[in-house]
C-alpha cells in the first residue's frame, strides 16, 4: 500500500506543468494524424521530451531560440529552430523506411537495422503477448521468432523449457543460450531439478513478462561473437521497460483471472477389460508353453491370478473354470488427478519521466495452479528502472529487480513410480484405492496417488535479486565511456517433509543454495559521421565475470510425531555444504563502417580466459565479420514504386561454448569420504586430468535477404545459415577396463544448417480497420559429423536414442516393427542383417525428435475499438517415443502395471490386422523373429517402433478478443484507457499423436534425449478475462 | 582521448598480469592430484574404499545378476533391465549387466592403484606388517573382482596396472577363462602370503581363511575339484567358524555370526542391502515389493521335508510372501554374506563327488550337516553319486535362496537349459556394447549369441 502511495505521488509530481511553457504538436506529414511517442531533444540543454498520445509536447521555461530534434521510429528525423512560443506550433514528420531504421539491441549496443549484417530476431512484448496464459517469458516466445525452437517439458506452470537456437550444436555441453537481462548475465541454475533428466523448472520464470519491453535473439556469429566463449548457442538479450523522458507518468493496471483444464486425459482400460487382457495373456502363455491354463496358473501364479479366479473348488484349491472378469470393478484414478485450475495475474506499473530522468516501476503478482494436483506456482515481483542525466555529460542508470518465486508441491519425476501421475495411471484399474478401513492402498511398486496429493509437502522458493548500475560519460560528442556493474543473486530454498503416510518413519530435507553472478563491464564507444557519407563506429570493452554457487543441505529421518516437520525434530540428522566457482575474463572490440547507408562492414573480436579451461588452452579467440548491402538505396531501385527495401546481408564468425564444462573438469581429482566401510575413510580416483579441455568452437556463416514492398507494408525476410561445431564436448565412453566409464573430451563435430523465413504484412490500415499479419517458418537440419563411437542413451538406460555419425542427434534407435503377422499374431521386426535372428544388430534408426520445420503465425485485426489476436504454433515431422504406452501396452508382461486402452487393439484371432501383437508372457527363444517371445519380451524387450508416434501438431496457442472503451468516455472518469479482453490459450489442436499431448519433451535436461512422453502434465487449456486500465 | 587510451591500456595490462591468478580456481571437496596415495592414511583409505566398493557391487549388481535370472525370485517392478534379466533376455545395453561389468573394473583399477603405489609409500606410521596386510587385501579383492567377471562373462581382459591416463591403456585382448582363473589364483596366492593369520573374531575384513574359502569356491567353478578339499578343510576345521544352531540366526542383528567366513557389514553411514525392494507395498513397514519369491520357491521352503527352517527366509503379509533375509530398514544395516561356512560344506561335498578320488560318504556327511541344521531328515546312504550331486544342487538352491548364487550355480552345473530353458549361448552375459564399440582390443570378441 505504501508503495502505491509512493507511486501515485511520483505520478502527480511529474504532472505539474509550468506556466511559461512552449507547446506544440507532432503530426504525420502524409495523413495529418498526430504521432505519439516522438522523442524530442533540446540541442541546447540536451533535455529530452516525448510527445503524448495526441502528439502534443510541452517544454517548460524555454530559452529562445530553441533548437529541437524530432525523432521517431518509422519517420525521418527533423531538426527545427523556434524563436518564440507561437500558439499553433505544428511539426510534420515524413514517413521513412520503417524496417531499416528500427533500433535493434545487439551485443553491448544498439544499432539500426540498416547497418546490421547479422541475424537478430526481435520480439516486442506488448498487450497481445500478455494475453497468453503462460507465466514465463520464454514460453511466450514460442513460435514467434524464426530459428528458435522452444518446447515445454510439461504443462506445469513455471515448468521446464528447452530453448534451442538454430539447432542442437553440442552433445556434451549445454545447448542453452546465454541470457542477458539489461546487461546482467543471468544465472541459469535450476531452482528445482527432477530425477531422470526431467526439467521441472526454468530459471527465466523468475522474470515477470509484464516488465519486458522486448527480447532480441542473437542468432548468427556476427551478432554473438562479441560474447565469445558463451555465444555459440545464441544469446537472448532481454530489455525491460524504462519509461521515457518528459512523458507524463501513467499508471497501468493489468488484471487477469483464468481457469485451466486438461484438454485430454489418459485412457486406461477398465477393470473388466484389464481382467480380459490378463486372462488372454495367461491363456496364450500356457498355449505357447504347451500346457493347460490351470497348470500354468498353478505353477506360475502370475500377479492377480486370484483376482481373476477368486473361486475355490470344494477341496480348497482354486477353480480355474470360472472367472470373475465381468464383475471386476473399475477405479478411476485419472479423474481424481486433474482439477480446474485457477490462475490470477495482477500487475501495476508506473512509467514516465521528466526532462532529466525517466522511470519505470512495476509490481506484479501471479499465481497459477497446475491442472494436475497439487502443484502450484506463484511469483511476486518488483522492478525499478531509473535513469538520470545528472550532469550534462554524465548519465547514470539503475535496474533493480526483486522476485520471489514459489513452487509448492512439485511432483516427482514423471517416470518415477512414486510420482503422482505414475501412481495414478499405472496400477491395474480393478485394484482399489483404499482398503476396507479407508487407508490408502499401494499396488506393486506404485505409491497411492491420493496419498501423494493429500500428503505431499514440499516447497521451493527462489528469491532473486538482479541489479545493474551503470554510468555513461560523454567524453566527446562522438566518444562515450560506459561502465556497468551487475549482480544477479538467486537464493533457492527448498524444504520437504514426508509424513508417516509417505514414508515409514518420516523424513525431511531442507536446503539453501545461493547462486551469484557478478559482472563488471567497461565500454568505450566511438560513433562518428564524416562528410555525410561515412559512418564509423568502434567499440572496445572488457568484462569480468564471476559465477559462484554455494549451499547447505540438511536431512533428517526417524520422527516420533509427524506433526513436527523440521529437520531438527528428527532422531537422525545430517547435512552438508558445497561451493563451486568459475571466472571469465574477456576483452573485446567491434568496428563498423557504413558508406552512404548503402554498404556496411562490421568486424568484431573477443578474447576469453576461463578458469574452467585446461591449463594448456586457457585463452580462446573469437572473430567475426559481416557485410550489408542496402540495394534499395542504389539509383536503379531508388525510384521503384514497388520495392521499398532490398537488403542483402552476409556474415561469418567463430564463437565458443564453455557451458557444460564443469567448473573443475580439467583437473585430476581423487574423492574422499570420511565415513565409508566400517566408518573408516575412503579414497578413490575420481577423474583423470585433461589439461587440453577447452571450449567448443562453432563457425557459422549466414546470408540474409530482406525485401520490402509497398512502403514496407509487406516484407519478406529470409536467412540461411550453416553452423559447424568442432572440438565438441562429450562424455566419451572409455573402455570399462580403465576403471572409468566416461571422460569429457573435446572431440565430436556436429553441423546445423537451416532456413528461416518470415513474412510481415499490414494488408489493411485505415481509420476503422487495421489488419497485421505475420508468419514465420524455419527448418533446421542437424547432423553428427564426427563422434568417437556410437552412444546410446535415453529412457533410463534403455538406449532408445542414439548418437551416430551421419545422423541427427535425438535419433530414435529401436527395433522396427514391420507388421503384426495376421496369421500368428506375432510382431515381425525388420531383420536388418538378414541373418534370421533378431538381436542388437537389428536395432536401427527409425526417426528423430527433430522437427522438419516449425513456426507460427499471428493475425491481429482491429476494428474501431475492438481487437482480435489469433496466434497459431506448429511443428511438423518430429517423432515422439510414447513411454507411457511402452509401459502400459505390455501384453501382460509387466507384473504390476495396468493397461492403456490401446492394448485393446491387440491381435486376437487369425486374420486380425493390427499393430499391437498377441498378448503373451512366453519368453523362450528370445532371438527368433515372428515368435511369441519377441512380442513384448525377448531381445526386442518392447523397444519397438510401435510406440513411436508422429508428434506433429498445429495448435491455436492463443485467441483473444478485446474491447477498448472510447477515450472520450473514459477520460470523463479520469481514465486514459480501459480495455477488457477475453483470451483462450491452447483452444484447439490438430494432431495425429496417439498419446495425451504431443507437446512434450521430458528428459530434456539432456539435449540428446528429446521427444519422450513420460506421461507429463499436458498443456492446459486456459480461458482468461483480462482488464487493462491506464490512468 | 589519449589519456583515456592510456588508462585503458594500463588497466588492461594490470589485468592481464593478474589474470592467471584470477583464473586459477581449485575445488574444495576433492583432492587435486594425479596420484593421492603417499602415506599411511591414504594407503589405508584406498584399501578401505575397495571394501566399500566391493560391498556396493554386491548390493547393486551381484544380487540382481545372481537372483533374477534364476528361479527363486521374479521381478515385480517396471525397470526394464530387471525385467530383461528375469526373462533371460540379456541385452548388450542392459544397465545392470553394463553396470556390473564397469563396477568390477572400477574396483580393479582401485586395487591396481593400491598394489602399485602402497609398496612405494615411505611412512613410519605404516609398518611392514600393515603394508603387507593392505597389499594382501588388495590382491584378494582383485581376485574376487576377476572371479565375478569370469563367472558372468567368461575370460576377460586382464587389466593389472592402474589407469594413469587414457592413452596408456594399451592393447589387451580378452584372455581365456583359464587364463583369467590363473590370474585369480595368482592373486589369491599373493593374498595368502601377505595376509596375517586369522584372529578370533574378525569376519568383515579379509584374513587368511577368507582366501582359503574363496579359493575353494573358485576351484569348484574352475573345475579343479581335486584342489577344493584342502582349502575347504582349512576353514571348516578352524574353530572360529561353525554353523549357527538355528538357520535364521545368521541374518539377525548384530550379524557377524559364527556362520560367517566373510560378510560385508553396514553402518548407518555406509548402509547395506535395503529391505525396501523385498517388503510388500502395503502394510508396515512398506516397501516396493520388486523382488518377489516365485511360487516354486514358496512351495519348496514351506515344505517341511524340503525347506525346514529355511521357511524363515520368507514372511507373509496378507496374501503376499516376501523375502526376509534383508529386513532392516531406515537405516539398512543388512550385511552382504559373501561366504558362509555352510557354503564351504556344500562346496566340499560337491567336490568330493566330482574329484578323482570320489568320497561319497564324506559328501553325504557334509550335505546332511546342512540338512540337519535346517531341521530336515538326512539323505539316506543308499543314494548314488549322481543322486547326491543333484541333492547338493537342490540344497544349494534353498540354503542360498536369497543370496546371489542361483543363476551361477545353474550355469556352472550346466542345468540352465534344463531348468530355465535358456540355451547355452546365453549362459554368459554379453560384453557391454559400449566396450565393443569403444575398445579396439575387443573387436570381434563378443560372447556368442549376442
Amino acid at each position: 500500500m505504501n508503495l502505491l502511495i509512493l507511486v501515485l505521488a511520483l505520478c502527480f509530481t511529474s504532472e505539474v506543468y509550468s506556466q511559461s511553457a512552449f507547446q506544440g504538436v507532432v503530426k504525420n506529414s502524409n495523413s495529418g494524424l498526430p504521432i505519439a511517442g516522438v522523442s524530442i531533444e533540446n540541442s541546447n540543454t540536451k533535455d529530452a521530451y516525448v510527445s503524448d498520445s495526441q502528439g502534443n509536447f510541452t517544454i517548460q521555461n524555454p530559452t529562445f531560440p530553441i533548437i529541437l530534434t524530432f525523432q521517431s521510429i518509422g519517420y525521418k528525423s527533423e531538426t527545427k529552430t523556434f524563436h518564440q512560443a507561437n500558439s499553433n506550433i505544428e511539426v510534420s514528420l515524413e514517413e521513412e523506411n520503417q524496417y531499416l531504421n528500427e533500433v535493434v539491441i545487439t551485443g553491448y549496443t544498439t544499432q539500426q537495422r540498416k547497418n546490421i549484417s547479422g541475424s537478430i530476431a526481435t520480439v516486442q512484448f506488448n498487450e497481445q503477448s500478455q494475453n497468453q496464459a503462460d507465466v514465463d517469458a520464454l514460453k511466450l516466445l514460442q513460435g514467434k521468432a524464426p530459428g528458435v525452437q522452444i518446447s515445454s517439458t510439461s504443462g506445469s506452470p513455471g515448468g521446464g523449457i528447452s530453448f534451442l537456437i538454430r539447432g542442437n550444436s553440442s552433445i556434451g555441453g549445454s545447448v542453452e543460450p546465454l541470457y542477458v537481462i539489461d546487461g546482467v548475465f543471468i544465472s541459469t541454475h535450476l531452482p528445482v531439478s527432477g530425477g531422470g533428466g526431467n526439467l521441472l523448472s526454468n530459471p527465466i520464470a523468475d522474470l515477470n513478462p509484464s516488465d519486458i519491453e522486448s527480447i532480441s535473439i542473437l542468432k548468427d556469429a556476427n551478432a554473438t561473437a562479441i560474447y565469445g566463449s558463451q555465444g555459440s548457442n545464441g544469446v537472448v538479450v532481454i530489455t525491460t521497460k524504462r519509461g521515457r523522458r518528459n512523458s507524463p507518468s501513467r499508471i497501468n493496471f493489468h488484471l487477469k483471472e483464468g481457469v485451466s483444464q486438461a484438454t485430454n486425459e489418459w485412457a486406461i482400460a477398465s477393470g473388466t477389460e484389464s481382467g480380459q487382457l490378463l486372462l488372454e495373456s495367461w491363456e496364450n502363455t500356457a498355449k505357447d508353453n504347451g500346457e493347460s491354463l490351470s497348470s500354468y496358473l498353478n505353477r506360475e501364479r502370475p500377479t492377480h491370478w486370484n483376482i481373476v479366479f477368486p473361486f475355490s473348488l470344494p477341496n480348497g484349491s482354486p477353480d480355474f473354470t470360472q472367472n470373475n472378469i465381468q464383475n471386476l470393478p473399475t477405479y478411476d484414478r485419472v479423474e481424481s488427478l486433474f482439477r480446474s485450475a485457477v490462475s490470477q495475474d495482477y500487475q501495476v506499473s508506473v512509467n514516465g519521466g521528466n526532462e532529466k530522468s525517466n522511470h519505470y516501476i512495476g509490481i506484479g503478482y501471479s499465481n497459477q495452479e497446475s491442472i494436475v494436483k497439487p502443484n502450484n506456482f506463484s511469483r511476486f515481483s518488483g522492478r525499478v528502472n531509473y535513469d538520470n542525466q545528472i550532469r550534462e555529460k554524465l548519465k547514470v542508470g539503475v535496474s533493480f529487480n526483486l522476485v520471489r518465486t514459489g513452487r509448492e508441491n512439485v511432483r516427482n519425476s514423471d517416470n518415477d513410480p512414486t510420482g503422482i501421475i505414475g501412481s495414478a495411471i499405472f496400477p491395474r484399474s480393478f485394484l482399489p484405492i483404499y482398503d476396507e478401513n479407508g487407508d490408502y492402498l499401494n499396488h506393486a511398486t506404485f505409491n497411492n496417488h491420493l496419498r501423494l496429493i493429500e500428503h505431499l509437502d514440499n516447497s521451493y522458493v527462489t528469491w532473486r535479486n538482479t541489479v545493474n548500475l551503470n554510468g555513461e560519460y560523454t567524453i566527446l560528442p562522438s566518444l562515450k565511456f560506459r561502465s556497468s556493474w551487475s549482480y544477479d543473486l538467486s537464493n533457492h530454498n527448498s524444504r520437504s517433509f514426508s509424513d508417516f503416510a509417505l514414508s515409514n518413519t518420516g523424513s525431511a530435507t531442507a536446503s539453501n543454495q545461493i547462486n551469484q553472478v557478478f559482472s563488471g563491464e567497461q565500454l568505450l564507444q566511438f560513433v562518428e559521421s564524416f562528410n555525410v557519407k561515412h559512418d564509423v563506429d568502434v567499440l572496445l570493452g572488457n568484462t569480468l565475470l564471476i559465477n559462484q554457487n554455494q549451499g547447505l543441505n540438511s536431512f533428517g529421518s526417524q520422527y516420533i510425531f509427524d506433526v513436527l516437520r523440521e529437520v531438527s525434530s528428527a532422531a537422525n540428522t545430517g547435512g552438508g555444504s558445497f561451493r563451486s566457482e568459475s571466472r571469465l575474463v574477456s576483452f573485446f572490440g567491434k568496428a563498423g563502417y557504413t558508406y552512404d547507408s548503402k554498404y556496411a562492414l562490421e568486424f568484431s573480436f573477443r578474447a576469453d580466459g576461463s578458469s574452467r579451461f585446461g591449463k594448456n588452452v586457457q585463452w580462446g579467440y573469437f572473430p567475426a565479420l559481416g557485410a550489408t548491402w542496402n540495394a534499395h538505396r542504389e539509383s536503379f531501385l531508388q525510384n521503384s514504386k514497388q520495392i521499398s527495401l532490398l537488403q542483402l546481408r552476409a556474415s561469418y564468425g567463430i564463437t565458443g561454448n564453455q557451458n557444460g564444462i564443469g567448473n573443475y573438469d580439467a583437473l585430476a581429482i581423487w574423492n574422499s569420504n570420511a565415513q565409508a566401510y566400517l566408518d573408516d575413510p575412503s579414497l578413490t580416483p575420481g577423474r583423470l586430468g585433461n589439461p587440453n579441455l577447452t571450449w567448443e568452437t562453432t563457425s557459422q556463416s549466414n546470408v540474409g535477404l530482406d525485401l520490402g514492398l509497398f512502403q514496407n507494408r509487406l516484407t519478406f525476410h529470409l536467412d540461411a545459415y550453416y553452423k559447424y561445431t568442432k572440438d565438441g564436448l562429450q562424455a566419451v565412453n572409455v573402455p570399462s577396463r580403465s576403471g572409468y566409464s566416461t571422460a569429457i573430451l573435446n572431440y565430436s563435430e556436429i553441423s546445423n544448417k537451416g532456413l528461416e523465413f518470415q513474412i510481415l504484412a499490414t494488408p489493411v490500415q485505415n481509420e476503422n480497420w487495421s489488419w497485421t499479419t505475420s508468419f514465420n517458418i524455419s527448418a533446421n537440419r542437424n547432423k553428427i559429423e564426427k563422434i568417437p563411437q556410437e552412444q546410446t542413451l535415453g529412457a533410463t538406460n534403455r538406449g532408445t536414442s542414439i548418437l551416430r555419425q551421419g545422423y541427427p542427434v535425438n535419433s530414435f534407435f529401436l527395433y522396427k516393427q514391420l507388421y503384426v503377422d495376421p496369421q500368428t499374431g506375432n510382431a515381425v521386426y525388420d531383420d536388418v542383417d538378414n541373418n534370421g535372428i533378431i538381436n542388437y544388430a537389428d536395432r536401427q534408426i527409425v526417426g528423430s525428435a527433430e522437427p522438419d520445420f516449425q513456426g507460427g503465425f499471428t493475425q491481429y485485426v482491429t476494428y474501431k475499438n475492438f481487437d482480435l489476436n489469433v496466434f497459431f504454433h506448429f511443428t511438423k515431422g518430429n517423432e515422439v517415443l510414447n513411454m507411457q504406452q511402452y509401459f502400459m501396452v505390455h501384453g501382460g508382461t509387466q507384473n504390476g502395471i495396468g493397461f492403456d486402452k490401446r492394448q485393446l487393439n491387440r491381435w486376437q484371432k487369425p486374420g486380425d490386422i493390427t499393430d499391437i501383437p498377441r498378448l503373451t508372457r512366453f519368453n523362450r527363444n528370445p532371438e527368433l523373429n515372428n515368435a511369441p517371445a519377441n512380442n513384448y519380451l525377448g531381445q526386442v524387450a518392447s523397444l519397438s517402433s510401435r510406440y513411436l508416434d508422429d508428434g506433429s501438431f498445429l495448435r491455436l496457442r492463443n485467441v483473444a478478443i478485446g474491447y477498448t472503451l472510447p477515450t472520450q468516455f473514459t477520460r470523463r472518469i479520469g481514465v486514459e484507457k480501459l480495455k477488457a479482453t477475453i483470451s483462450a490459450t491452447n483452444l484447439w489442436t490438430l494432431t495425429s499423436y496417439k498419446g495425451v499431448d504431443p507437446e512434450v519433451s521430458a528428459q530434456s535436461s539432456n539435449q540428446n534425449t528429446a521427444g519422450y512422453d513420460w506421461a507429463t502434465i499436458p498443456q492446459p487449456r486456459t480461458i482468461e478475462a483480462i482488464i487493462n486500465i491506464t490512468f | 582521448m589519449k589519456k583515456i587510451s592510456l588508462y585503458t591500456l594500463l588497466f588492461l595490462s594490470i589485468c592481464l598480469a593478474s589474470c592467471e591468478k584470477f583464473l586459477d580456481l581449485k575445488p574444495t571437496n576433492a583432492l587435486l592430484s594425479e596420484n593421492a596415495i603417499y602415506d599411511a592414511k591414504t594407503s589405508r583409505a584406498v584399501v578401505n574404499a575397495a571394501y566399500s566398493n566391493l560391498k556396493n557391487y554386491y548390493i547393486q549388481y551381484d544380487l540382481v545378476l545372481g537372483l533374477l535370472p534364476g528361479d527363486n525370485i521374479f521381478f515385480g517392478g517396471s525397470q526394464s533391465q530387471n525385467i530383461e534379466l528375469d526373462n533371460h533376455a540379456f541385452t548388450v545395453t542392459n544397465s545392470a549387466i553394463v553396470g556390473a561389468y564397469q563396477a568390477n573394473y572400477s574396483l580393479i583399477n582401485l586395487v591396481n592403484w593400491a598394489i602399485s603405489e602402497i609398496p612405494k609409500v615411505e611412512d613410519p606410521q605404516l609398518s611392514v606388517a600393515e603394508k603387507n596386510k593392505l597389499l594382501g587385501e588388495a590382491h584378494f579383492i582383485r581376485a574376487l573382482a576377476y572371479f565375478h567377471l569370469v563367472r558372468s562373462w567368461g575370460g576377460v581382459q586382464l587389466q593389472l596396472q592402474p589407469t594413469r591416463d587414457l592413452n596408456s591403456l594399451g592393447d589387451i585382448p580378452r584372455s581365456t577363462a583359464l587364463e583369467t582363473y590363473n590370474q585369480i589364483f595368482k592373486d589369491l596366492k599373493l593374498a595368502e602370503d601377505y595376509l596375517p593369520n586369522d584372529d578370533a573374531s574378525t569376519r568383515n575384513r579379509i584374513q587368511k581363511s577368507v582366501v582359503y574359502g574363496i579359493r575353494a569356491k573358485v576351484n569348484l567353478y574352475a573345475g579343479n575339484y581335486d584342489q577344493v578339499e584342502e582349502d575347504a578343510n582349512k576353514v571348516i576345521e578352524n574353530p572360529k567358524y561353525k554353523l549357527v544352531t538355528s538357520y535364521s540366526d545368521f541374518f539377525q542383528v548384530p550379524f557377524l555370526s559364527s556362520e560367517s567366513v566373510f560378510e560385508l557389514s553396514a553402518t548407518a553411514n555406509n548402509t547395506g542391502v535395503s529391505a525396501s525392494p523385498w517388503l510388500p507395498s502395503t502394510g508396515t513397514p512398506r516397501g516396493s515389493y520388486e523382488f518377489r519369491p516365485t511360487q516354486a520357491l514358496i512351495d519348496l521352503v514351506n515344505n517341511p521335508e524340503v525347506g525346514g527352517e529355511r521357511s524363515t527366509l520368507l514372511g507373509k503379509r496378507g496374501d503376499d510372501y516376501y523375502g526376509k533375509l534383508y529386513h532392516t530398514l531406515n537405516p539398512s544395516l543388512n550385511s552382504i554374506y559373501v561366504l558362509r561356512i555352510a557354503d564351504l560344506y556344500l562346496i566340499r561335498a560337491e567336490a568330493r563327488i566330482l574329484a578323482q578320488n570320489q568320497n561319497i560318504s564324506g559328501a553325504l556327511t557334509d550335505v546332511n550337516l546342512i540338512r540337519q541344521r535346517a531341521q530336515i531328515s538326512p539323505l539316506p546312504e543308499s543314494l548314488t553319486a549322481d543322486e547326491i550331486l543333484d541333492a547338493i544342487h537342490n540344497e544349494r538352491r534353498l540354503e542360498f535362496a536369497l543370496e546371489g548364487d542361483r543363476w551361477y550355480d545353474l550355469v556352472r552345473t550346466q542345468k540352465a537349459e534344463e531348468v530355465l530353458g535358456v540355451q547355452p549361448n546365453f549362459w554368459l552375459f554379453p560384453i557391454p556394447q559400449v566396450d565393443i564399440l569403444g575398445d579396439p582390443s575387443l573387436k570381434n570378441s563378443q560372447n556368442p549369441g549376442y
Side-chain angles (χ1 to χ4, degrees), chain A residues 106-120:
Chain A
T106 61
Y108 295 103
T109 62
T110 59
Q111 277 177 283
Q112 288 184 315
R113 278 270 180 214
K114 63 182 173 197
N115 299 332
I116 295 177
S117 53
S119 176
I120 298 171

Side-chain angles (χ1 to χ4, degrees), chain A residues 442 444 501-502 504 542 558 579 583 587 611 669-670 675 677 679-680 736-738 798 895 923 925 938, chain B residues 12 22-23 28 31 48 75 80 87 89 105 157 159 163 170 204-205 267 269 281 286 330 423 435 439:
Chain A
N442 278 17
L502 288 173
N504 285 313
N542 148 259
Q558 302 275 18
R579 190 172 63 174
R583 293 178 183 174
F587 301 93
S611 66
I669 57 162
W670 282 64
Q675 284 185 312
Y677 189 63
D679 292 343
D680 287 337
S736 297
R737 64 184 163 102
S738 66
R798 292 180 178 93
N895 288 313
N923 61 16
N925 305 109
Chain B
L12 294 187
F22 180 78
L23 294 176
T28 48
L31 298 176
N48 196 54
F75 184 67
S80 59
N87 287 291
Y105 273 114
Q157 295 163 291
Q159 188 75 33
T163 303
N204 51 14
R205 292 214 187 261
T267 62
N269 293 310
S281 53
R286 196 171 59 241
N330 300 322
Q423 297 155 10
D435 281 273
D439 189 347

Side-chain angles (χ1 to χ4, degrees), chain A residues 178-186 227 235-239 521:
Chain A
L178 173 71
Y179 295 100
V180 182
I181 302 178
D182 294 331
V184 187
F185 291 70
I186 288 296
Y227 289 99
V235 183
V236 177
V237 181
I238 301 172
T239 311
E521 177 181 304

Side-chain angles (χ1 to χ4, degrees), chain A residues 262-492:
Chain A
T263 50
N264 205 354
E265 297 179 359
W266 291 282
I268 310 295
S270 72
T272 298
E273 288 165 341
S274 304
Q276 274 162 350
L277 291 168
L278 284 177
L279 177 60
E280 194 175 316
S281 169
W282 300 335
E283 281 170 345
N284 291 342
T285 310
K287 200 171 156 195
D288 295 337
N289 285 344
E291 60 185 329
S292 70
L293 177 65
S294 59
S295 124
Y296 170 73
L297 291 177
N298 260 322
R299 190 172 51 75
E300 192 73 27
R301 300 288 167 95
T303 312
H304 301 142
W305 68 275
N306 51 348
I307 291 181
V308 178
F309 292 103
F311 309 109
S312 309
L313 295 167
N315 65 7
S317 63
D319 179 0
F320 291 122
T321 57
Q322 52 169 331
N323 64 51
N324 191 37
I325 288 173
Q326 287 314 315
N327 302 319
L328 287 175
T330 303
Y331 296 92
D332 188 348
R333 290 173 167 80
V334 174
E335 180 200 41
S336 48
L337 194 61
F338 288 101
R339 65 178 165 190
S340 284
V342 295
S343 56
Q344 298 90 34
D345 185 35
Y346 308 131
Q347 306 288 342
V348 186
S349 67
V350 179
N351 60 339
N354 58 26
E355 301 91 334
K356 302 277 189 195
S357 72
N358 54 289
H359 59 268
Y360 169 87
I361 300 168
I363 50 178
Y365 166 69
S366 302
N367 186 56
Q368 206 166 29
E369 287 179 349
S370 162
I371 52 169
V372 167
K373 296 174 208 172
N375 174 231
N376 187 53
F377 173 87
S378 66
R379 180 179 58 215
F380 296 87
S381 70
R383 170 173 288 278
V384 178
N385 288 348
Y386 179 75
D387 302 291
N388 196 327
Q389 188 82 41
I390 55 169
R391 294 279 184 279
E392 195 188 328
K393 289 185 163 184
L394 182 62
K395 192 172 100 179
V396 295
V398 58
S399 309
F400 182 92
N401 190 20
L402 183 63
V403 186
R404 179 193 187 276
T405 308
R407 292 171 171 88
E408 277 87 50
N409 297 327
V410 180
R411 77 226 144 76
N412 290 359
S413 310
D414 302 304
N415 46 334
D416 187 335
T418 58
I420 291 172
I421 295 178
S423 56
I425 63 174
F426 287 130
R428 292 181 176 167
S429 56
F430 50 66
L431 297 171
I433 298 169
Y434 299 104
D435 67 8
E436 55 274 22
N437 304 322
D439 292 332
Y440 304 111
L441 270 178
N442 278 17
H443 299 288
T445 58
F446 304 104
N447 211 321
N448 184 300
H449 69 296
L450 292 178
R451 184 205 303 271
L452 293 171
I453 289 171
E454 287 158 19
H455 290 269
L456 207 62
D457 178 16
N458 67 47
S459 80
Y460 299 84
V461 173
T462 299
W463 282 95
R464 185 165 203 146
N465 191 190
T466 309
V467 185
N468 172 267
L469 297 172
N470 65 71
E472 189 178 278
Y473 186 75
T474 309
I475 302 159
L476 299 166
S478 54
L479 182 68
K480 285 175 181 165
F481 175 72
R482 184 182 157 90
S483 180
S484 165
W485 298 87
S486 305
Y487 179 54
D488 179 39
L489 167 74
S490 34
N491 192 335
H492 305 295

